[in-house]
């Protein structure tokens, strides 16, 4: 399906107006908005390179799913044509492209949004998320750092879901998503102490039980990866899991992992062998990481290899984390 790209012309005009006569950016602030590192050269049609150097292409979608997502994108592009410089219209156009697996176009749109709205943290938050998707973790960290600066001292706001849950209740906020993904980018780089610091901040803005559970999961794993087993145990003991469980809407896989951590049980690795959706990838990675920091590297490697064999889920966080650990172990 081909989409008209004329709606981008006003954005390119805005970009030119923001440059000096020699084509350079006109302010130091705009220079600061450039990514820290260049994107890699990609083969035609690829969105990213895996951490093992393999090209990653947009995931296959069912006919029904693709039709629905393309319809949503058409609506978003129509809204953007009506309001080509509108922050909300730009954000949703980027999000709708990303849901179809076109992360590069989403990043382009968010970059244009940053030029038009340099003080809107939402653009840095969303672009940082998609830099994670395409394995550009340094660029993601730079974006989340800027987003965190922009929201400092401001009131948090609920972030609408692109794919609403069964109850239609958003479970996250802008500031939660900034700190959550900020911590994740550091975790994926193996910078576990930095991840701990970000998840501590994230818990302070985790209002919904789903947010608390998701934050605790990655925070716990970061603590275990740095050898802080006692602090990890205290984190789980300080959570009232029985009270949180009835209020959960989305984070059931992370909750199952927290129960595992609380009971110090041995994971059923068979549950990690069916990574056909994001929840299975989340469980599988959690089980593999548990084995890794409990000394069973061979068991962890087996789970991670099973996960990354499900190529259609390469943008899920569990998949990326498994890939990152395999790369640190020396490949698949």
């Amino acid at each position: 399906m081909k989409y008209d790209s004329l709606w981008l012309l006003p954005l390119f005009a805005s970009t030119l107006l923001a440059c000096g006569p020699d084509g350079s950016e006109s302010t130091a602030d705009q220079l600061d908005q450039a990514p820290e590192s260049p994107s890699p050269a990609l083969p035609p049609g690829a969105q990213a390179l895996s951490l093992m150097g393999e090209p990653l292409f947009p995931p296959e979608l069912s006919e029904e799913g693709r039709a629905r997502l393309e319809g949503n994108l058409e609506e978003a592009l129509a809204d953007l044509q009506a309001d080509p410089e509108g922050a909300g219209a730009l954000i949703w156009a980027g999000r709708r492209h990303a849901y179809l697996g076109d992360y590069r176009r989403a990043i382009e749109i968010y970059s244009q949004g940053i030029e038009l709205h340099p003080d809107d943290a939402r653009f840095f938050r969303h672009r940082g998320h998609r830099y994670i998707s395409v394995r550009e973790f340094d660029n993601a960290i730079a974006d989340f750092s800027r987003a965190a600066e922009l929201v400092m001292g401001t009131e948090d706001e609920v972030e609408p879901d692109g794919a609403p849950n069964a109850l239609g209740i958003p479970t996250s906020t802008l500031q939660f998503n900034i700190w959550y993904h900020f911590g994740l980018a550091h975790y994926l780089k193996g910078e576990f102490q930095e991840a701990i610091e970000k998840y501590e901040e994230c818990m302070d803005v985790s209002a919904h039980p789903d947010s608390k559970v998701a934050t605790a999961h990655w925070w716990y794993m970061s603590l275990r990866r740095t050898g802080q087993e006692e602090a990890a145990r205290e984190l789980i003991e300080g959570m009232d899991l029985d009270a949180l469980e009835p209020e959960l809407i989305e984070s059931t896989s992370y909750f199952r992992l927290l129960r595992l951590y609380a009971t110090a049980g041995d994971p059923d690795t068979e549950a990690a062998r069916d990574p056909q959706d994001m929840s299975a990838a989340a469980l599988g990675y959690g089980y593999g990481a548990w084995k890794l920091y409990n000394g069973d590297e061979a068991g962890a490697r087996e789970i991670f290899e099973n996960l990354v064999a499900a190529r259609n889920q390469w943008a899920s966080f569990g998949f990326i984390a498994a890939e990152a650990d395999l790369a640190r172990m020396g490949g698949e």
Side-chain angles (χ1 to χ4, degrees):
M1 188 170 189
K2 186 176 181 180
Y3 297 102
D4 188 348
S5 62
L6 290 177
W7 60 271
L8 283 172
L9 292 177
L11 301 182
F12 293 140
S14 298
T15 302
L16 293 173
L17 289 173
C19 296
D22 60 352
S24 60
E25 296 283 358
S26 59
T27 68
D29 286 342
Q30 287 166 325
L31 286 172
D32 289 341
Q33 294 160 11
E36 284 190 349
S37 57
S39 299
L42 299 171
Q47 289 289 311
L49 295 179
S50 79
L51 298 176
M52 283 78 166
E54 299 173 351
L56 299 171
F57 297 89
E60 296 179 4
L61 299 169
S62 68
E63 185 176 342
E64 178 183 357
R66 177 169 292 280
R68 174 176 53 82
L69 293 173
E70 287 179 342
N72 290 340
L73 176 58
E74 287 181 348
E75 291 180 8
L77 294 181
D79 290 341
L80 188 56
Q81 284 183 321
D83 185 16
E85 296 188 2
L90 284 161
I91 286 169
W92 278 107
R95 293 181 75 173
R96 296 304 186 191
H97 274 294
Y99 297 152
L100 278 161
D102 194 349
Y103 305 118
R104 292 293 171 183
R105 176 57 66 88
I107 288 169
E108 291 173 0
I109 293 172
Y110 298 141
S111 297
Q112 293 293 332
I114 286 169
E115 294 192 17
L116 289 165
H117 307 279
D119 296 326
D120 192 328
R122 295 176 297 172
F123 288 105
F124 293 96
R125 167 268 187 270
H126 284 289
R127 190 174 71 172
H129 181 170
R130 292 313 168 190
Y131 274 136
I132 289 176
S133 300
V134 298
R135 281 58 170 173
E136 296 182 26
F137 304 141
D138 287 334
N139 288 339
I141 288 169
D143 273 357
F144 294 129
S145 179
R146 180 57 179 150
E149 291 175 358
L150 288 169
V151 299
M152 187 178 300
T154 66
E155 186 175 352
D156 204 358
E157 59 187 75
V158 172
E159 188 169 277
D161 292 327
N165 56 53
L167 298 181
I169 301 174
T171 63
S172 64
T173 65
L174 173 61
Q175 293 187 27
F176 164 81
N177 278 314
I178 290 169
W179 290 108
Y180 182 79
H181 293 90
F182 202 171
L184 178 65
H186 280 296
Y187 183 97
L188 294 170
K189 283 195 70 182
E191 297 172 349
F192 301 119
Q193 186 57 47
E194 289 86 348
I196 289 167
E197 295 166 4
K198 303 306 183 291
Y199 285 121
E200 186 172 3
E201 296 279 357
C202 190
M203 189 61 84
D204 288 341
V205 294
S206 295
H208 194 278
D210 279 274
S211 299
K212 295 178 187 293
V213 165
T215 300
H217 161 68
W218 289 99
W219 189 0
Y220 176 91
M221 291 198 303
S222 301
L223 287 166
R224 293 299 306 271
R225 296 299 286 270
T226 55
Q228 300 181 62
E229 188 170 351
E230 181 65 18
R233 183 184 62 80
E234 291 176 355
L235 169 64
I236 301 302
E237 288 180 350
M239 301 186 70
D240 189 343
L241 297 181
D242 290 334
L244 289 170
E245 186 172 18
E247 304 298 324
L248 289 179
I249 302 174
E250 300 172 348
S251 300
T252 54
S253 293
Y254 288 155
F255 185 82
R256 285 174 60 184
L257 290 165
L258 294 186
R259 285 289 195 197
L260 170 72
Y261 308 151
T263 60
D266 190 7
D268 176 9
T269 56
E270 291 304 315
R273 300 181 191 279
D274 184 24
Q276 298 305 307
D277 59 28
M278 289 190 182
S279 62
L283 276 172
Y285 179 72
Y287 291 165
W290 187 95
K291 285 184 172 292
L292 186 60
Y293 50 66
N294 281 287
D296 184 4
E297 182 172 325
R301 177 187 287 273
E302 181 182 2
I303 291 175
F304 296 155
E305 288 176 346
N306 286 334
L307 276 174
V308 301
R311 297 295 184 189
N312 211 43
Q313 290 300 327
W314 60 262
S316 71
F317 295 156
F319 187 111
I320 301 173
E323 189 180 280
D325 276 323
L326 281 173
R328 283 188 284 269
M329 290 177 177
E332 293 185 64

